[in-house]
Amino acid sequence: MSERLQPGDVAPAFTLPDADGKDVSLSDHKGRKVIVYFYPAALTPGCTKQACDFTDNLDVLAGAGYDVIGISPDAPEKLARFRDKESLKVTLLADPDKKVTEAYAAYGEKKNYGKTYLGVIRSTIIVDESGKVERALYNVRATGHVAKIIKDLGI
């Protein structure tokens, strides 16, 4: 398991398929700030709430120079169903082998109802225009998280 990213670290490069199977790279967003968020599974209540919150605030975030990318271990086909069912406007990327999720330290030990297991740790990494980590937030809550990001970034 990777060590958690810190402000100033170079954000790990990635290229992953989106919901339509088209490759999207972090480098495609060079010169823009990028909010990369990791979530456990499409079409689940918490992840739906979080994705809808990002979609509802996309104009505000984009106006402040931020692109938003959501990454989960789901297959592109499931991401397409998720996007279409919830009318999502954020870019959703598939990381089925969890290599990118692990590179961002968003995969690891979790506890739920007294059981310990490995899974996706709900995390948000904010990458600046030059590809460096501006903020790294781990174990975030699905509800209220987007509002907190907007407040913390002073948008």
PDB file of all heavy atoms in Angstrom, residues 130-148:
ATOM      1  N   SER A 130       0.206  22.588 -12.308  1.00  0.00           N
ATOM      2  CA  SER A 130       1.491  22.013 -12.711  1.00  0.00           C
ATOM      3  C   SER A 130       1.579  20.511 -12.395  1.00  0.00           C
ATOM      4  O   SER A 130       2.628  19.905 -12.594  1.00  0.00           O
ATOM      5  CB  SER A 130       2.639  22.760 -12.030  1.00  0.00           C
ATOM      6  OG  SER A 130       2.583  22.585 -10.628  1.00  0.00           O
ATOM      7  N   GLY A 131       0.484  19.919 -11.882  1.00  0.00           N
ATOM      8  CA  GLY A 131       0.480  18.488 -11.621  1.00  0.00           C
ATOM      9  C   GLY A 131       0.946  18.103 -10.228  1.00  0.00           C
ATOM     10  O   GLY A 131       1.220  16.940  -9.963  1.00  0.00           O
ATOM     11  N   LYS A 132       1.013  19.088  -9.335  1.00  0.00           N
ATOM     12  CA  LYS A 132       1.410  18.802  -7.946  1.00  0.00           C
ATOM     13  C   LYS A 132       0.173  18.738  -7.050  1.00  0.00           C
ATOM     14  O   LYS A 132      -0.829  19.403  -7.303  1.00  0.00           O
ATOM     15  CB  LYS A 132       2.350  19.888  -7.434  1.00  0.00           C
ATOM     16  CG  LYS A 132       3.757  19.794  -8.021  1.00  0.00           C
ATOM     17  CD  LYS A 132       4.713  20.552  -7.130  1.00  0.00           C
ATOM     18  CE  LYS A 132       6.166  20.384  -7.375  1.00  0.00           C
ATOM     19  NZ  LYS A 132       6.711  19.975  -8.560  1.00  0.00           N
ATOM     20  N   VAL A 133       0.273  17.937  -5.990  1.00  0.00           N
ATOM     21  CA  VAL A 133      -0.825  17.808  -5.039  1.00  0.00           C
ATOM     22  C   VAL A 133      -0.950  19.110  -4.253  1.00  0.00           C
ATOM     23  O   VAL A 133       0.012  19.576  -3.651  1.00  0.00           O
ATOM     24  CB  VAL A 133      -0.589  16.623  -4.071  1.00  0.00           C
ATOM     25  CG1 VAL A 133      -1.659  16.575  -2.991  1.00  0.00           C
ATOM     26  CG2 VAL A 133      -0.535  15.310  -4.842  1.00  0.00           C
ATOM     27  N   GLU A 134      -2.147  19.692  -4.292  1.00  0.00           N
ATOM     28  CA  GLU A 134      -2.426  20.906  -3.517  1.00  0.00           C
ATOM     29  C   GLU A 134      -3.011  20.509  -2.156  1.00  0.00           C
ATOM     30  O   GLU A 134      -2.655  21.063  -1.132  1.00  0.00           O
ATOM     31  CB  GLU A 134      -3.416  21.766  -4.300  1.00  0.00           C
ATOM     32  CG  GLU A 134      -3.598  23.160  -3.785  1.00  0.00           C
ATOM     33  CD  GLU A 134      -4.534  23.953  -4.691  1.00  0.00           C
ATOM     34  OE1 GLU A 134      -4.164  24.202  -5.867  1.00  0.00           O
ATOM     35  OE2 GLU A 134      -5.640  24.300  -4.232  1.00  0.00           O
ATOM     36  N   ARG A 135      -3.935  19.543  -2.180  1.00  0.00           N
ATOM     37  CA  ARG A 135      -4.538  19.013  -0.957  1.00  0.00           C
ATOM     38  C   ARG A 135      -4.797  17.527  -1.143  1.00  0.00           C
ATOM     39  O   ARG A 135      -5.123  17.092  -2.240  1.00  0.00           O
ATOM     40  CB  ARG A 135      -5.891  19.681  -0.670  1.00  0.00           C
ATOM     41  CG  ARG A 135      -5.787  21.146  -0.315  1.00  0.00           C
ATOM     42  CD  ARG A 135      -7.173  21.791  -0.343  1.00  0.00           C
ATOM     43  NE  ARG A 135      -7.036  23.222  -0.295  1.00  0.00           N
ATOM     44  CZ  ARG A 135      -7.362  23.967   0.748  1.00  0.00           C
ATOM     45  NH1 ARG A 135      -7.875  23.405   1.819  1.00  0.00           N
ATOM     46  NH2 ARG A 135      -7.200  25.273   0.723  1.00  0.00           N
ATOM     47  N   ALA A 136      -4.669  16.781  -0.054  1.00  0.00           N
ATOM     48  CA  ALA A 136      -4.947  15.341  -0.069  1.00  0.00           C
ATOM     49  C   ALA A 136      -5.853  15.043   1.122  1.00  0.00           C
ATOM     50  O   ALA A 136      -5.454  15.202   2.268  1.00  0.00           O
ATOM     51  CB  ALA A 136      -3.651  14.550   0.020  1.00  0.00           C
ATOM     52  N   LEU A 137      -7.088  14.668   0.829  1.00  0.00           N
ATOM     53  CA  LEU A 137      -8.095  14.422   1.867  1.00  0.00           C
ATOM     54  C   LEU A 137      -8.494  12.952   1.835  1.00  0.00           C
ATOM     55  O   LEU A 137      -8.964  12.458   0.807  1.00  0.00           O
ATOM     56  CB  LEU A 137      -9.317  15.308   1.604  1.00  0.00           C
ATOM     57  CG  LEU A 137      -9.008  16.792   1.358  1.00  0.00           C
ATOM     58  CD1 LEU A 137     -10.184  17.490   0.705  1.00  0.00           C
ATOM     59  CD2 LEU A 137      -8.609  17.461   2.643  1.00  0.00           C
ATOM     60  N   TYR A 138      -8.286  12.262   2.951  1.00  0.00           N
ATOM     61  CA  TYR A 138      -8.592  10.833   3.025  1.00  0.00           C
ATOM     62  C   TYR A 138      -9.712  10.576   4.023  1.00  0.00           C
ATOM     63  O   TYR A 138      -9.914  11.356   4.955  1.00  0.00           O
ATOM     64  CB  TYR A 138      -7.335  10.049   3.434  1.00  0.00           C
ATOM     65  CG  TYR A 138      -6.268  10.068   2.361  1.00  0.00           C
ATOM     66  CD1 TYR A 138      -5.239  10.993   2.394  1.00  0.00           C
ATOM     67  CD2 TYR A 138      -6.322   9.178   1.297  1.00  0.00           C
ATOM     68  CE1 TYR A 138      -4.272  11.029   1.392  1.00  0.00           C
ATOM     69  CE2 TYR A 138      -5.362   9.206   0.294  1.00  0.00           C
ATOM     70  CZ  TYR A 138      -4.342  10.127   0.352  1.00  0.00           C
ATOM     71  OH  TYR A 138      -3.397  10.152  -0.651  1.00  0.00           O
ATOM     72  N   ASN A 139     -10.425   9.459   3.828  1.00  0.00           N
ATOM     73  CA  ASN A 139     -11.544   9.069   4.699  1.00  0.00           C
ATOM     74  C   ASN A 139     -12.592  10.169   4.781  1.00  0.00           C
ATOM     75  O   ASN A 139     -13.089  10.492   5.850  1.00  0.00           O
ATOM     76  CB  ASN A 139     -11.042   8.705   6.106  1.00  0.00           C
ATOM     77  CG  ASN A 139     -10.184   7.463   6.088  1.00  0.00           C
ATOM     78  OD1 ASN A 139     -10.564   6.456   5.516  1.00  0.00           O
ATOM     79  ND2 ASN A 139      -9.014   7.555   6.686  1.00  0.00           N
ATOM     80  N   VAL A 140     -12.918  10.753   3.630  1.00  0.00           N
ATOM     81  CA  VAL A 140     -13.920  11.821   3.615  1.00  0.00           C
ATOM     82  C   VAL A 140     -15.317  11.214   3.644  1.00  0.00           C
ATOM     83  O   VAL A 140     -15.517  10.050   3.301  1.00  0.00           O
ATOM     84  CB  VAL A 140     -13.750  12.739   2.382  1.00  0.00           C
ATOM     85  CG1 VAL A 140     -12.368  13.382   2.381  1.00  0.00           C
ATOM     86  CG2 VAL A 140     -14.001  11.996   1.084  1.00  0.00           C
ATOM     87  N   ARG A 141     -16.281  12.016   4.026  1.00  0.00           N
ATOM     88  CA  ARG A 141     -17.675  11.582   4.050  1.00  0.00           C
ATOM     89  C   ARG A 141     -18.309  11.921   2.696  1.00  0.00           C
ATOM     90  O   ARG A 141     -17.966  12.921   2.084  1.00  0.00           O
ATOM     91  CB  ARG A 141     -18.432  12.289   5.162  1.00  0.00           C
ATOM     92  CG  ARG A 141     -17.858  12.001   6.543  1.00  0.00           C
ATOM     93  CD  ARG A 141     -18.673  12.629   7.652  1.00  0.00           C
ATOM     94  NE  ARG A 141     -19.786  11.830   8.115  1.00  0.00           N
ATOM     95  CZ  ARG A 141     -19.686  10.644   8.707  1.00  0.00           C
ATOM     96  NH1 ARG A 141     -18.523  10.092   8.880  1.00  0.00           N
ATOM     97  NH2 ARG A 141     -20.754  10.009   9.122  1.00  0.00           N
ATOM     98  N   ALA A 142     -19.236  11.083   2.272  1.00  0.00           N
ATOM     99  CA  ALA A 142     -19.901  11.326   0.987  1.00  0.00           C
ATOM    100  C   ALA A 142     -20.792  12.565   1.071  1.00  0.00           C
ATOM    101  O   ALA A 142     -20.846  13.374   0.151  1.00  0.00           O
ATOM    102  CB  ALA A 142     -20.733  10.108   0.591  1.00  0.00           C
ATOM    103  N   THR A 143     -21.469  12.727   2.187  1.00  0.00           N
ATOM    104  CA  THR A 143     -22.414  13.835   2.345  1.00  0.00           C
ATOM    105  C   THR A 143     -21.702  15.071   2.883  1.00  0.00           C
ATOM    106  O   THR A 143     -20.978  15.004   3.868  1.00  0.00           O
ATOM    107  CB  THR A 143     -23.541  13.424   3.317  1.00  0.00           C
ATOM    108  OG1 THR A 143     -24.129  12.213   2.831  1.00  0.00           O
ATOM    109  CG2 THR A 143     -24.609  14.487   3.415  1.00  0.00           C
ATOM    110  N   GLY A 144     -21.912  16.199   2.210  1.00  0.00           N
ATOM    111  CA  GLY A 144     -21.352  17.468   2.674  1.00  0.00           C
ATOM    112  C   GLY A 144     -19.921  17.711   2.253  1.00  0.00           C
ATOM    113  O   GLY A 144     -19.365  18.787   2.486  1.00  0.00           O
ATOM    114  N   HIS A 145     -19.301  16.728   1.616  1.00  0.00           N
ATOM    115  CA  HIS A 145     -17.890  16.839   1.254  1.00  0.00           C
ATOM    116  C   HIS A 145     -17.652  17.928   0.206  1.00  0.00           C
ATOM    117  O   HIS A 145     -16.700  18.703   0.306  1.00  0.00           O
ATOM    118  CB  HIS A 145     -17.383  15.476   0.767  1.00  0.00           C
ATOM    119  CG  HIS A 145     -15.961  15.496   0.328  1.00  0.00           C
ATOM    120  ND1 HIS A 145     -14.930  15.884   1.149  1.00  0.00           N
ATOM    121  CD2 HIS A 145     -15.381  15.195  -0.861  1.00  0.00           C
ATOM    122  CE1 HIS A 145     -13.790  15.819   0.488  1.00  0.00           C
ATOM    123  NE2 HIS A 145     -14.039  15.399  -0.730  1.00  0.00           N
ATOM    124  N   VAL A 146     -18.495  17.978  -0.818  1.00  0.00           N
ATOM    125  CA  VAL A 146     -18.296  18.949  -1.898  1.00  0.00           C
ATOM    126  C   VAL A 146     -18.442  20.372  -1.361  1.00  0.00           C
ATOM    127  O   VAL A 146     -17.632  21.248  -1.684  1.00  0.00           O
ATOM    128  CB  VAL A 146     -19.264  18.670  -3.073  1.00  0.00           C
ATOM    129  CG1 VAL A 146     -19.118  19.724  -4.155  1.00  0.00           C
ATOM    130  CG2 VAL A 146     -19.000  17.275  -3.641  1.00  0.00           C
ATOM    131  N   ALA A 147     -19.421  20.599  -0.507  1.00  0.00           N
ATOM    132  CA  ALA A 147     -19.603  21.930   0.094  1.00  0.00           C
ATOM    133  C   ALA A 147     -18.367  22.325   0.903  1.00  0.00           C
ATOM    134  O   ALA A 147     -17.924  23.481   0.870  1.00  0.00           O
ATOM    135  CB  ALA A 147     -20.845  21.942   0.977  1.00  0.00           C
ATOM    136  N   LYS A 148     -17.789  21.354   1.604  1.00  0.00           N
ATOM    137  CA  LYS A 148     -16.592  21.628   2.402  1.00  0.00           C
ATOM    138  C   LYS A 148     -15.405  21.979   1.505  1.00  0.00           C
ATOM    139  O   LYS A 148     -14.658  22.915   1.794  1.00  0.00           O
ATOM    140  CB  LYS A 148     -16.255  20.416   3.286  1.00  0.00           C
ATOM    141  CG  LYS A 148     -15.063  20.655   4.208  1.00  0.00           C
ATOM    142  CD  LYS A 148     -14.832  19.469   5.114  1.00  0.00           C
ATOM    143  CE  LYS A 148     -13.628  19.567   6.011  1.00  0.00           C
ATOM    144  NZ  LYS A 148     -12.725  20.672   5.882  1.00  0.00           N
TER     145      LYS A 148
END
